[in-house]
């Protein structure tokens, strides 16, 4: 199994070793996995061309590490425990043996429909066991999965399918979320009108929502698995063969397909899982993320399973049937590790303690936070009311592009500090730089967060456009990976991530580009131009504020607002809907036509007293008008 750090002193020793000899360090970690053929070279890298290769020439399959390897030692242990949206519906336990059997069987269904190594397969599903099975079945046969979060619109699915030229889609009839029933297959049908590359759609049943099944294209999961065997040897993969694509927002309008590869991602997701959470045998790990995001990929599926852990998968939402649901799930399944997002913590905190006080949370050992900065108030509430002052909180900073956790306490070992992600994990070399890319040395400083040496989980490319990968991550500062985050390092050398320094918002832990939302708003017939910024929001972390210019005097502002929200929902999905829409007659622009977002951000924050220098504006009077109408 993966070695776990057991004291702070050992952390310091391991960390120093990992910096002095990164290749030696990661080679030792990687020894603990099952390889079909050993690697020939541990690392090849060049940040200038965005090329990183780990465990070069090694052959393996991640599902042999996540499943087959455990059959002899823990075949009857729960691999996945599934909890329904409906508290009355029986939960499901899949042991490692059962999961292995189901993955192999479904992998054979994929093969039967022509899937082969290197194909891209889109997965658009609710949080049901079939989602994890579909992901692992793709990995089994060497097909590259592209999971699209179930909240995205038909247009977003189509864009992602077309970008990766997927030939198969795996979906469900529908999904249950709280008291809502959402049609997924119907949304896929709408998307596929624009997707000629898709030849097959495999549909699992969840809601029994009526769906239309197209002859020759669409098949039912439950029928197909009856026609195949459950014997499916794993495809031999190279370390650097693609494992998956996951789309994420950046500062331009079009989401990027972040590519992770088999060997390095496996080693990194598993090492960080084992160490950050200090997972002990038999424990139950509950990560509340959706598998449609990187947190679900790494800490519901791959990390826990490669470590032989029991991973709890929850279909529902924190507030259904009431704001005590997480605590009920924890009691029911005797959860030991809870890994959730600040937005969920703040939301549950706002309901008051009556939903917590009578719950038995005594099984909890470790708490985790991910996705956005956690404010001190939420951190303290989490610590006192959920952890009862006895559970270490790991505030884990990382990104879709990093594959796994980068800066975080090690549970029970690193001394924590509210709102601080604390220290880099072994193998992670953060540095802070100023605008010109000069390193900011010493403590008690802040700057832009970069990483100066590759780690095994680093992004390999942006699918179909390597140049974009170079531009986005490796060009801002020479020979550094740029995270897009601002960060401070306190007197003790502890890191606190303060938020994005680019045009990316973080709304309820979801990454959304301002340009993406602007493009969506601009699609509306009556809209001439728009500018979108984030603003502080008590529950969501950030809310979305849109300034919109319409083409004539609007007769019905409320109707126009609703129409714009509907347009954004169609273009992206409900998560990108602006919280505030202000109609304006002009936007603050420089003489060269650049929108001065700094000013718009200040207004959205309500900081109208010190708006700063407006002398470079083409027409400074628009600022007064916007302030006058601010929401
Ligand atoms: C895992 C994930 C990445 C962005 C990242 C940050 C923000 C994530 C923290 C955080 C402060 C944290 N991937 N972020 N974790 N900010 N403290 N512990 O969220 O690709 O979807 O988002 O999220 O801005 O750049 S992500």
């Amino acid at each position: 199994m993966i070695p776990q750090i057991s004291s702070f002193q050992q952390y310091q020793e391991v960390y120093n070793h990992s910096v002095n000899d990164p290749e030696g360090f990661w080679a030792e970690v990687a020894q603990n996995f099952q390889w079909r053929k050993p690697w020939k070279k541990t690392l090849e890298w060049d940040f200038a061309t965005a090329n990183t290769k780990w465990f070069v020439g090694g052959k393996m399959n991640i599902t042999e590490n996540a499943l087959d390897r455990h059959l002899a030692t823990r075949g009857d242990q729960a691999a996945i425990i599934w909890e329904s949206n409906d508290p009355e519906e029986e939960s499901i336990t899949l042991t490692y043996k059962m999961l292995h059997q189901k993955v192999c069987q479904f992998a054979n269904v994929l093969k039967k429909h022509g899937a082969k190594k290197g194909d891209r397969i889109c997965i658009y599903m609710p949080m049901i066991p079939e989602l994890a099975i579909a992901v692992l079945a793709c990995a089994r046969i060497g097909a590259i999965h592209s999971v699209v979060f179930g909240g995205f619109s038909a247009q977003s699915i189509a864009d992602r399918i077309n970008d990766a030229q997927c030939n198969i889609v795996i979906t469900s009839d529908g999904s249950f979320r709280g008291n809502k029933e959402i049609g997924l297959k119907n949304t896929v049908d709408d998307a596929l009108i624009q997707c000629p590359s898709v030849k097959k759609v495999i549909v699992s049943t969840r809601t029994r929502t009526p769906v239309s099944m197209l002859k020759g294209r669409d098949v039912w999961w439950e029928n197909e698995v009856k026609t195949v065997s459950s014997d499916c040897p794993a495809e031999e993969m190279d370390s650097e063969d693609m494992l998956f694509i996951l789309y994420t927002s950046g500062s331009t309008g079009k989401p990027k397909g972040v590519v992770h590869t088999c060997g390095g991602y496996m080693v990194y997701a598993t090492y960080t899982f084992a160490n950050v959470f200090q997972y002990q045998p038999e424990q139950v790990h509950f990560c509340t993320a959706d598998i449609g995001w990187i947190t679900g990929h790494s800490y519901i599926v791959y990390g826990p399973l490669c470590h032989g852990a029991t991973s709890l998968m929850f279909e529902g939402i924190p507030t259904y049937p009431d704001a005590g649901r997480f605590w009920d799930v924890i009691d029911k399944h005797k959860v030991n590790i809870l890994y959730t997002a600040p937005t969920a913590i703040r939301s549950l905190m706002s309901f008051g303690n009556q939903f917590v006080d009578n719950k038995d949370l005594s099984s909890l050992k470790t708490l985790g936070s991910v996705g956005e900065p956690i404010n001190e108030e939420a951190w303290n509430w989490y610590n006192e009311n959920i952890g009862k002052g006895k559970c270490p909180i790991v505030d884990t900073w990382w990104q879709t592009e990093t594959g796994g956790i980068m800066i975080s306490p090690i549970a029970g070992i690193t001394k924590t500090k509210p709102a601080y992600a604390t220290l880099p994990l072994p193998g992670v070399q953060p540095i802070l730089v100023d605008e010109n890319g000069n390193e900011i040395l010493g403590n008690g400083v802040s700057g832009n967060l970069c990483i100066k040496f590759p780690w095994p989980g680093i992004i390999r490319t942006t699918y179909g456009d390597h140049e974009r990968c170079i531009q986005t991550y490796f060009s801002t500062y020479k020979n550094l990976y740029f995270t897009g985050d601002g960060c401070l390092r306190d007197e003790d050398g502890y890191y606190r991530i303060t938020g994005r320094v680019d045009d990316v918002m973080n709304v309820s832990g979801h990454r959304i580009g301002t340009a993406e939302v602007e493009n969506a708003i601009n699609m509306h017939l009556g809209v001439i131009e728009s500018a979108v910024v984030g603003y502080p929001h008590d529950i969501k972390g950030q809310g979305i504020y849109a300034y919109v210019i319409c083409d004539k005097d609007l007769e019905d502002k409320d109707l126009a607002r609703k129409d714009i929200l509907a347009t954004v929902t169609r273009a992206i999905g409900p998560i990108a809907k602006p919280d505030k829409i202000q109609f304006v007659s002009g936007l603050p622009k420089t003489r060269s036509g650049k929108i001065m977002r700094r000013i718009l951000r200040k207004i959205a924050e309500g900081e109208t007293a010190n708006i700063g220098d407006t002398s470079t504006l083409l027409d400074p009077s628009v600022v007064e008008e916007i302030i006058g109408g601010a929401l």
Side-chain angles (χ1 to χ4, degrees):
M1 286 278 91
I2 311 308
Q4 286 172 322
I5 289 163
S6 62
S7 69
F8 191 69
Q9 192 197 334
Q10 196 200 354
Y11 159 73
Q12 289 173 310
E13 288 162 11
V14 171
Y15 186 79
N16 290 337
H17 166 52
S18 80
V19 171
N20 296 332
D21 180 15
E23 297 181 39
F25 168 73
W26 286 114
E28 283 159 38
V29 173
Q31 294 295 350
N32 298 288
F33 292 82
Q34 226 174 58
W35 297 83
R36 293 253 187 108
K37 285 196 196 99
W39 59 93
K40 297 191 183 73
K41 203 170 165 215
T42 305
L43 172 65
E44 270 173 32
W45 70 293
D46 176 26
F47 275 177
T49 55
N51 277 308
T52 313
K53 291 190 170 113
W54 280 95
F55 313 115
V56 185
K59 305 285 178 195
M60 40 77 69
N61 184 294
I62 196 167
T63 70
E64 286 185 336
N65 285 272
L67 301 169
D68 305 58
R69 186 161 62 129
H70 307 308
L71 295 180
T73 49
R74 51 174 66 87
D76 295 320
Q77 182 203 302
I80 291 177
I81 300 173
W82 174 80
E83 170 71 21
S84 165
N85 177 63
D86 175 1
E88 304 295 316
E89 185 177 350
E90 223 177 308
S91 53
I92 295 173
T93 297
L94 296 178
T95 64
Y96 273 94
K97 266 188 206 150
M98 291 156 79
L99 183 61
H100 175 264
Q101 190 258 338
K102 285 181 183 294
V103 167
C104 289
Q105 195 172 49
F106 191 67
N108 280 332
V109 171
L110 292 174
K111 279 189 183 168
K112 174 184 160 189
H113 290 288
K116 52 187 194 313
K117 179 174 174 177
D119 287 357
R120 278 80 55 218
I121 296 183
C122 174
I123 302 178
Y124 184 73
M125 290 178 90
M127 281 286 284
I128 56 176
E130 286 76 7
L131 167 52
I133 293 164
V135 163
L136 292 163
C138 289
R140 187 83 177 170
I141 64 168
I144 301 160
H145 56 77
S146 167
V147 183
V148 176
F149 171 61
F152 279 118
S153 68
Q155 187 59 49
S156 297
I157 302 168
D159 293 344
R160 285 157 175 75
I161 288 175
N162 288 336
D163 186 73
Q165 289 291 294
C166 298
N167 55 3
I168 295 179
V169 177
I170 307 169
T171 188
S172 296
D173 48 2
S175 76
F176 293 121
R177 301 273 294 161
N179 52 26
K180 288 201 207 97
E181 190 182 314
I182 304 153
L184 297 183
K185 172 64 163 64
N186 294 336
T187 305
V188 167
D189 288 339
D190 289 346
L192 293 190
I193 296 168
Q194 305 177 51
C195 303
S197 62
V198 174
K199 303 290 180 252
K200 284 282 168 215
V201 180
I202 305 173
V203 187
S204 80
T205 46
R206 174 58 185 138
T207 55
R208 302 282 167 182
T209 312
V211 295
S212 79
M213 296 289 284
L214 200 65
K215 201 177 290 167
R217 188 193 71 179
D218 303 349
V219 296
W220 290 107
W221 177 304
E222 56 188 344
N223 293 344
E224 292 305 305
V225 289
K226 289 181 196 144
T227 68
V228 295
S229 92
S230 37
D231 177 28
C232 179
E235 186 76 27
E236 184 166 289
M237 304 296 283
D238 188 275
S239 292
E240 287 298 335
D241 282 338
M242 286 186 198
L243 175 62
F244 66 85
I245 307 169
L246 188 57
Y247 286 83
T248 193
S249 298
S251 37
T252 62
K254 199 174 155 242
K256 298 177 284 271
V258 172
V259 170
H260 285 288
T261 57
C262 296
Y265 173 81
M266 168 180 78
V267 169
Y268 199 69
T270 313
Y271 178 79
T272 52
F273 171 75
N275 277 280
V276 169
F277 302 103
Q278 291 285 303
Y279 181 88
Q280 301 303 311
E282 317 275 288
Q283 286 191 330
V284 176
H285 173 79
F286 176 17
C287 168
T288 70
D290 192 290
I291 293 176
W293 308 111
I294 189 71
T295 305
H297 281 60
S298 299
Y299 301 111
I300 296 177
V301 182
Y302 289 117
L305 297 181
C306 288
H307 195 58
T310 298
S311 182
L312 190 138
M313 193 176 164
F314 175 43
E315 182 186 36
I317 58 173
T319 50
Y320 179 81
D322 62 40
R325 186 66 193 281
F326 274 3
W327 325 129
D328 291 334
V329 173
I330 289 166
D331 184 14
K332 177 173 175 190
H333 297 288
K334 301 295 166 227
V335 168
N336 305 108
I337 306 168
L338 172 66
Y339 190 31
T340 193
T343 189
I345 298 167
R346 287 189 298 262
S347 156
L348 296 175
M349 184 168 87
S350 75
F351 285 89
N353 283 4
Q354 84 250 35
F355 292 101
V356 189
D357 286 342
N358 57 341
K359 301 290 157 76
D360 181 1
L361 301 178
S362 59
S363 57
L364 285 175
K365 288 275 178 297
T366 301
L367 303 177
S369 173
V370 61
E372 41 173 335
I374 180 164
N375 48 311
E376 269 188 63
E377 193 195 356
W379 196 99
N380 287 324
W381 184 85
Y382 198 28
N383 184 40
E384 284 156 28
N385 298 285
I386 308 307
K388 314 290 181 195
K390 288 184 303 206
C391 301
I393 297 181
V394 291
D395 174 1
T396 64
W397 173 82
W398 59 296
Q399 309 178 295
T400 305
E401 295 87 343
T402 69
I405 299 166
M406 299 285 282
I407 303 181
S408 167
I410 295 179
I413 288 171
T414 313
K415 196 169 171 293
T416 58
K417 179 173 176 179
Y420 279 77
T422 75
L423 298 170
L425 295 182
V428 176
Q429 301 187 37
I431 78 164
L432 302 183
V433 298
D434 66 17
E435 253 75 280
N436 305 315
N438 299 314
E439 179 166 4
I440 301 169
L441 295 163
N443 289 340
V445 294
S446 63
N448 290 340
L449 178 62
C450 293
I451 314 287
K452 67 176 170 194
F453 196 87
W455 62 98
I458 192 174
I459 179 175
R460 298 305 196 273
T461 190
T462 45
Y463 193 84
D465 190 354
H466 190 67
E467 190 52 35
R468 191 159 175 215
C469 179
I470 301 175
Q471 282 307 322
T472 311
Y473 306 104
F474 299 96
S475 298
T476 318
Y477 305 111
K478 202 164 179 280
N479 283 321
L480 297 173
Y481 166 81
F482 176 44
T483 65
D485 281 317
C487 179
L488 60 85
R489 186 166 53 215
D490 76 0
E491 294 300 339
D492 302 322
Y494 269 31
Y495 290 86
R496 174 181 190 160
I497 287 75
T498 47
R500 304 290 302 195
V501 294
D502 54 9
D503 292 322
V504 174
M505 299 173 290
N506 194 323
V507 181
S508 300
H510 302 150
R511 246 171 95 166
I512 303 171
T514 54
E516 241 178 297
V517 182
E518 288 164 6
N519 290 346
I521 294 173
N522 296 348
M523 284 161 80
H524 187 68
L525 179 66
V527 172
I528 294 176
E529 198 181 359
S530 64
V532 164
V533 296
Y535 71 96
H537 186 288
D538 283 348
I539 307 281
K540 298 179 175 186
Q542 276 189 310
I544 304 179
Y545 196 122
Y547 299 89
V548 179
I549 307 175
C550 285
D551 67 355
K552 53 178 176 291
D553 281 335
L554 272 181
E555 283 175 14
D556 189 339
K557 283 198 171 139
D558 282 338
L559 186 60
R561 237 180 230 113
K562 284 184 191 139
D563 286 350
I564 289 171
L565 294 181
T567 309
V568 172
T569 304
R570 270 213 172 269
I572 308 172
I575 58 171
K577 279 195 293 192
D579 298 271
K580 296 182 178 179
I581 297 175
Q582 180 182 353
F583 294 106
V584 296
S585 64
L587 292 166
K589 288 191 179 173
T590 61
R591 276 169 243 279
S592 58
K594 222 175 146 243
I595 296 173
M596 287 191 79
R597 285 164 194 287
R598 177 178 59 77
I599 292 174
L600 294 176
R601 247 180 252 128
K602 286 258 183 207
I603 298 173
E605 286 164 12
E607 293 255 346
T608 46
N610 50 12
I611 220 77
D613 185 17
T614 56
S615 61
T616 56
L617 288 180
L618 189 60
D619 175 12
S621 73
V622 297
V623 175
E624 293 310 315
E625 183 218 295
I626 297 175
I627 291 175
L631 301 169

